[in-house]
Amino acid sequence: CYLPATFYEHDLSLAFTDDSLNREIEGRYYWPTIDADGNKIIKVNMGMAVSYLPFFGAAHVYCKLFNEEANGFSDPYHFAVQFSSLFYFLIGLIFLLRILKLYFEPKVVFITSLAIIFGTNIIYYLTNGAGMAHPVDFALIAAFVYYTIKWHQNQTFKFTLYIGLLGGMITLVRPVNIF
């Protein structure tokens, strides 16, 4: 809801949902929480919105080119969010394989990758549960671990920056991951 509220409604305060015509939209798409002062707030962190942003932008371009409804919630946007799950999973798998190749022979790396794909619930998060934080977390944490290993091998500013940015994004996507 952050992205449509920002780019289409230009209103993160969600004041546009006060219009009686927008009541259904409010309940279905924005589900705000009312604070003690009566203000509407988005009750989730914006980390996933940041991760969706490139895909949201691609869906917007598609909608404009093919005269689809450009509102942040139409089918192209849903597809974009679902595709983002696959994209982030593949990025995470690449980083995991890079980590494993540092310590194990190729046979072990291959078996481990098959175990991750078919022995976990990732297939659910790439299909019915697409759009949830799990594939994004997987990618960010795998990259974080990889660059932490690289930093211990060669303490450069570049690796320090990567670790800091990834740690911040990990926390933004799911705050409890700071632990």
Side-chain angles (χ1 to χ4, degrees):
C1 60
Y2 279 101
L3 297 173
T6 300
F7 292 107
Y8 297 124
E9 303 295 340
H10 309 289
D11 180 14
L12 280 176
S13 73
L14 304 180
F16 65 92
T17 61
D18 291 335
D19 181 351
S20 61
L21 296 174
N22 289 321
R23 296 274 183 221
E24 182 181 341
I25 291 171
E26 174 185 321
R28 184 170 181 195
Y29 296 123
Y30 293 96
W31 31 278
T33 298
I34 309 298
D35 69 8
D37 298 324
N39 299 315
K40 294 178 182 182
I41 56 172
I42 299 171
K43 62 183 174 181
V44 295
N45 234 11
M46 69 174 64
M48 287 305 292
V50 173
S51 74
Y52 296 149
L53 186 57
F55 303 94
F56 182 89
H60 178 74
V61 169
Y62 175 87
C63 287
K64 290 299 186 182
L65 287 174
F66 295 101
N67 293 327
E68 296 274 343
E69 186 176 11
N71 64 1
F73 298 108
S74 60
D75 287 342
Y77 296 95
H78 286 277
F79 176 79
V81 167
Q82 289 179 320
F83 182 76
S84 75
S85 293
L86 176 62
F87 175 83
Y88 287 114
F89 170 70
L90 292 175
I91 295 296
L93 192 60
I94 288 167
F95 276 105
L96 177 63
L97 295 177
R98 284 181 174 181
I99 294 165
L100 293 174
K101 285 179 183 179
L102 295 172
Y103 302 103
F104 300 101
E105 61 185 64
K107 184 179 179 180
V108 173
V109 173
F110 177 74
I111 292 169
T112 303
S113 64
L114 287 179
I116 295 286
I117 294 168
F118 297 110
T120 67
N121 55 359
I122 193 61
I123 292 174
Y124 170 79
Y125 290 114
L126 298 176
T127 55
N128 291 348
M132 294 183 73
H134 301 76
V136 176
D137 276 341
F138 175 62
L140 292 171
I141 292 169
F144 181 86
V145 170
Y146 176 78
Y147 285 116
T148 300
I149 292 167
K150 288 298 195 182
W151 183 86
H152 281 284
Q153 293 171 345
N154 184 12
Q155 297 176 359
T156 65
F157 177 75
K158 178 176 79 170
F159 293 142
T160 304
L161 182 65
Y162 290 168
I163 291 168
L165 291 172
L166 288 164
M169 190 63 189
I170 288 167
T171 305
L172 193 58
V173 167
R174 186 175 279 172
V176 72
N177 283 345
I178 197 168
F179 296 113

